[in-house]
Amino acid sequence: QAQLVESGGGLVPTGGSLKLSCVVTGRAINLYAMAWFRQSSGLEREFVAAITSNSGRSAYSDSVQGRFTISRNNAENMVYLQMNNLRPEDAAVYYCGMSRYSYWGLSVPITDFDTWGQGTQVTVSS
């Protein structure tokens, strides 16, 4: 049974940066696409970024494209999300997810992801 643990969240001012980390134990991640989703209070969990198993392809939501970068280190079973130029609307709990597949089709459906971490809070002050 894989376990995912996120870290790196915190409080930053508008325009600031954070780097989130996700460590996976119990299963090697090299065969699976990984992603970050986020959820604000009262809203559904939304897609942020994803990366295929071999890092050959990544995808981003329109709202974070150009500001966030997802990466992974399969040797260390780690996934990262570098977040730059943060905005108040980026504030949310960020979740790391492991897909059942190594890649995705035209979009990144949340239903592909069956293993989640507990989340890390990101707060952006205006």
Side-chain angles (χ1 to χ4, degrees):
Q1 182 77 13
Q3 290 190 322
L4 284 63
V5 178
E6 303 93 336
S7 62
L11 171 64
V12 294
T14 297
S17 298
L18 281 174
K19 185 173 184 178
L20 305 184
S21 299
C22 172
V23 59
V24 182
T25 58
R27 187 189 305 168
I29 68 170
N30 62 304
L31 297 178
Y32 305 101
M34 301 293 294
W36 290 92
F37 286 73
R38 67 188 182 188
Q39 188 168 19
S40 300
S41 180
L43 300 179
E44 293 186 353
R45 193 170 296 189
E46 66 171 355
F47 169 72
V48 174
I51 188 166
T52 53
S53 60
N54 64 356
S55 300
R57 181 182 171 196
S58 58
Y60 299 89
S61 68
D62 290 344
S63 62
V64 308
Q65 179 76 49
R67 300 187 296 124
F68 291 12
T69 303
I70 188 171
S71 61
R72 63 191 293 161
N73 184 324
N74 286 347
E76 296 187 354
N77 250 30
M78 296 287 296
V79 184
Y80 305 97
L81 184 68
Q82 177 66 48
M83 306 186 295
N84 297 328
N85 193 19
L86 282 160
R87 305 166 180 170
E89 55 265 37
D90 293 319
V93 177
Y94 282 71
Y95 296 92
C96 178
M98 174 181 282
S99 176
R100 292 174 289 171
Y101 312 107
S102 59
Y103 62 96
W104 56 87
L106 295 177
S107 64
V108 185
I110 192 170
T111 51
D112 277 4
F113 298 85
D114 60 355
T115 308
W116 298 93
Q118 83 291 344
T120 186
Q121 177 73 51
V122 172
T123 304
V124 184
S125 61
S126 56

